[in-house]
Amino acid sequence: MPDEQDVTAVGASAHGRHIPPASLARLTVYLRVLGTMLTEGVERVSSEELAEAAGVNSPKLRKDLSYLGSYGTRGVGYDVPYLSGQISAALGLTLDWRVAIVGAGHLGRALAGYPGFGTRGFEVVALFDADPMTVGQEIGWLRISPVNSLERVLETTRANMAVLAVPAEAAQQMCDRLVKAGITSILSFAPVVLQAPPEVQIRKVDMATELQILAYHAQRAQVAALATDAQARLMR
Amino acid sequence: MPDEQDVTAVGASAHGRHIPPASLARLTVYLRVLGTMLTEGVERVSSEELAEAAGVNSPKLRKDLSYLGSYGTRGVGYDVPYLSGQISAALGLTLDWRVAIVGAGHLGRALAGYPGFGTRGFEVVALFDADPMTVGQEIGWLRISPVNSLERVLETTRANMAVLAVPAEAAQQMCDRLVKAGITSILSFAPVVLQAPPEVQIRKVDMATELQILAYHAQRAQVAALATDAQARLMR
DNA sequence: CGTTGTGAATGCCTTCACAGCA
DNA sequence: TGCTGTGAAGGCATTCACAACG
């Protein structure tokens, strides 16, 4: 496994240390907010303002930024374009990310047409489907490729990331093929636990999980409301 | 992420303690795995087997389950239907959850057709869109409603959850209307920070964020590989 | 005897207050 | 003076070993 000490002389971010997962997730939010500020022509921003716009408190934001380095000016704030560039660099967004989407159902098409990708360093280079009827259709600038050409197309397009938008039954099989083809970063929308070698980074998004978490909190809120209600009734 | 400062309300409900967020997320995974085991007719499972299938280690799984109660049998394992039911109950999935989806683009349609909902206690009761051309179309058993009828339809369908699948520009406005209509649980796919009162639970899913996190890890792996490569070259 | 349930210890993230600097 | 950057403290999650129990 990669050791920490040999990353000292590396890249744009002088701070070779790893970023805590929670901070990492928030940094992507800051980056997005800074992006909209850029288009609005905002040049400077304080940690307080940026935190407010990102929905966090300012000490947390400053701590998050401190994992990257010291890119602000005390007494003044942050230079929006500069900070934006530094976060991008730290996240590795200055590299070339070529994304293959496997599955061209509604979800795959939604992803292929997602406007947020191009503007943030990601290029969708391939879109696959198993259904012969949909193969060949054009989505934006992309033509849907047959899934049996997966390995060949991945190589010619030099894709280095993949998104799984296939039914649960097909997910593990597709994951295996992607891994065998050398893909090491996979984002899966399939509601299954994928098995893959540890060097493969897998992130998963599951809408049912998200709703269930909401349901849990909503249920607690209901119960709490009933409890205080009953209590109020007892007290009067 | 919505960090809720929790109520001090201790123990009105059966196991009144709150479940740590990290455990909560994993419990939904266990539930899904148990669901597939149910359909396969598996009756009993050990913590070791269940943990393996869920992609975690067994002490962690047992700890997670212990937040709900003691539903296993020592020396034997867990009864699959029983445990499944207990987790469902703890998450509040035995209640009626009626979901309204706002936005009937590819993403909204993908969600409306998601097979995982019905089987897990969620019913999609409404689907809205702003485009007059798509209003009136039928998606499965649903007819797309015009977004200007939002409040009325939410009331008649008694929706108690909402999913935002609209463009970023429209998200905050739609969120406001949902909140005003009494919705307190919202899952948003729009890449913006939503402002809402604290009693409203908001979870968000952002594909760009997920890809950026993958990019960060992939970049680090690349850098580490280059470093060890250079080191190896120096050593020979 | 085998497996669950859990207290205790460890390590990590978050928080906060203030030191440091323009 | 004002705002950033960070050390220290507190809280939370994970881990582990073993006690409890069918």
Side-chain angles (χ1 to χ4, degrees):
Chain A
M1 285 294 106
D3 229 352
E4 304 295 346
Q5 60 185 34
D6 51 15
V7 257
T8 35
V10 155
S13 62
H15 285 235
R17 292 166 313 182
H18 83 118
I19 303 171
S23 290
L24 185 54
R26 286 190 297 268
L27 281 166
T28 68
V29 177
Y30 307 153
L31 190 56
R32 186 171 63 215
V33 173
L34 286 169
T36 70
M37 286 181 172
L38 262 179
T39 65
E40 290 167 358
V42 180
E43 293 184 353
R44 274 199 320 223
V45 68
S46 71
S47 66
E48 187 62 41
E49 294 164 339
L50 184 52
E52 153 104 41
V56 302
N57 52 29
S58 59
K60 188 184 279 186
L61 176 133
R62 292 200 300 275
K63 187 66 161 181
D64 288 338
L65 292 182
S66 80
Y67 289 116
L68 312 184
S70 303
Y71 299 133
T73 308
R74 295 175 197 230
V76 178
Y78 301 91
D79 181 82
V80 172
Y82 180 65
L83 182 59
S84 177
Q86 291 299 329
I87 297 179
S88 287
L91 299 191
L93 302 183
T94 51
L95 302 180
D96 250 29
W97 298 112
R98 291 181 291 281
V99 181
I101 298 174
V102 185
H106 279 307
L107 182 55
R109 287 158 198 245
L111 293 162
Y114 186 59
F117 285 166
T119 63
R120 287 187 250 173
F122 297 95
E123 185 189 357
V124 178
V125 295
L127 182 53
F128 297 95
D129 204 276
D131 180 3
M133 297 297 290
T134 69
V135 166
Q137 289 180 19
E138 304 217 344
I139 308 291
W141 291 274
L142 274 175
R143 179 183 300 259
I144 299 178
S145 305
V147 79
N148 58 30
S149 72
L150 185 80
E151 290 77 6
R152 188 168 49 76
V153 174
L154 285 180
E155 193 172 346
T156 60
T157 57
R158 305 200 321 284
N160 48 12
M161 282 192 165
V163 177
L164 271 179
V166 300
E169 310 79 58
Q172 182 62 59
Q173 179 195 349
M174 283 302 127
C175 176
D176 292 342
R177 285 178 68 179
L178 288 170
V179 169
K180 217 168 276 176
I183 300 290
T184 55
S185 299
I186 299 175
L187 173 59
S188 171
F189 286 83
V192 290
V193 179
L194 295 176
Q195 310 287 350
E199 70 269 17
V200 177
Q201 282 284 337
I202 296 187
R203 291 190 65 84
K204 56 193 189 63
V205 172
D206 181 7
M207 348 243 175
T209 284
E210 300 298 329
L211 284 189
Q212 286 171 3
I213 293 174
L214 281 174
Y216 170 74
H217 291 299
Q219 176 215 31
R220 296 201 88 225
Q222 277 185 23
V223 167
L226 285 176
T228 49
D229 191 49
Q231 203 169 4
R233 209 165 299 168
L234 281 174
M235 292 187 45
R236 81 165 97 95
Chain B
M1 302 291 134
D3 259 23
E4 23 112 45
Q5 19 205 25
D6 239 53
V7 274
T8 46
V10 187
S13 61
H15 262 258
R17 292 166 314 182
H18 81 122
I19 303 172
S23 291
L24 183 54
R26 285 190 297 267
L27 281 166
T28 69
V29 178
Y30 308 152
L31 189 56
R32 187 172 61 216
V33 173
L34 286 169
T36 70
M37 286 181 172
L38 262 180
T39 66
E40 290 166 358
V42 180
E43 293 184 353
R44 274 196 323 219
V45 68
S46 70
S47 65
E48 186 63 41
E49 295 163 339
L50 184 52
E52 153 104 42
V56 303
N57 53 28
S58 60
K60 187 184 279 185
L61 176 132
R62 290 200 301 273
K63 188 66 161 180
D64 288 339
L65 292 182
S66 79
Y67 289 116
L68 312 184
S70 303
Y71 299 132
T73 308
R74 296 175 197 232
V76 178
Y78 301 91
D79 181 83
V80 172
Y82 180 66
L83 182 58
S84 177
Q86 291 299 328
I87 298 180
S88 288
L91 300 192
L93 302 183
T94 51
L95 302 180
D96 249 30
W97 298 112
R98 291 182 291 280
V99 181
I101 298 175
V102 185
H106 279 308
L107 183 55
R109 288 159 198 244
L111 293 163
Y114 185 60
F117 284 166
T119 63
R120 287 187 250 171
F122 297 96
E123 185 190 357
V124 178
V125 296
L127 181 54
F128 297 95
D129 203 275
D131 180 2
M133 297 297 290
T134 69
V135 166
Q137 289 180 20
E138 305 218 343
I139 308 290
W141 290 274
L142 274 177
R143 179 182 300 257
I144 300 177
S145 304
V147 78
N148 57 30
S149 72
L150 185 79
E151 288 77 5
R152 188 169 47 77
V153 175
L154 285 180
E155 192 173 345
T156 60
T157 57
R158 304 197 325 281
N160 48 11
M161 283 193 165
V163 177
L164 271 179
V166 300
E169 309 81 58
Q172 182 63 58
Q173 178 195 347
M174 282 303 128
C175 177
D176 292 343
R177 285 179 68 179
L178 289 170
V179 169
K180 216 167 279 176
I183 301 288
T184 55
S185 300
I186 299 175
L187 173 58
S188 170
F189 286 83
V192 290
V193 179
L194 294 175
Q195 310 286 350
E199 71 269 17
V200 177
Q201 282 285 337
I202 296 187
R203 293 190 63 84
K204 56 192 189 64
V205 172
D206 180 8
M207 347 244 175
T209 285
E210 300 298 328
L211 284 188
Q212 285 170 5
I213 293 174
L214 281 173
Y216 170 75
H217 291 299
Q219 176 214 32
R220 297 201 88 225
Q222 277 185 24
V223 166
L226 285 175
T228 49
D229 190 49
Q231 204 170 5
R233 208 165 300 168
L234 282 175
M235 291 187 43
R236 82 165 96 93

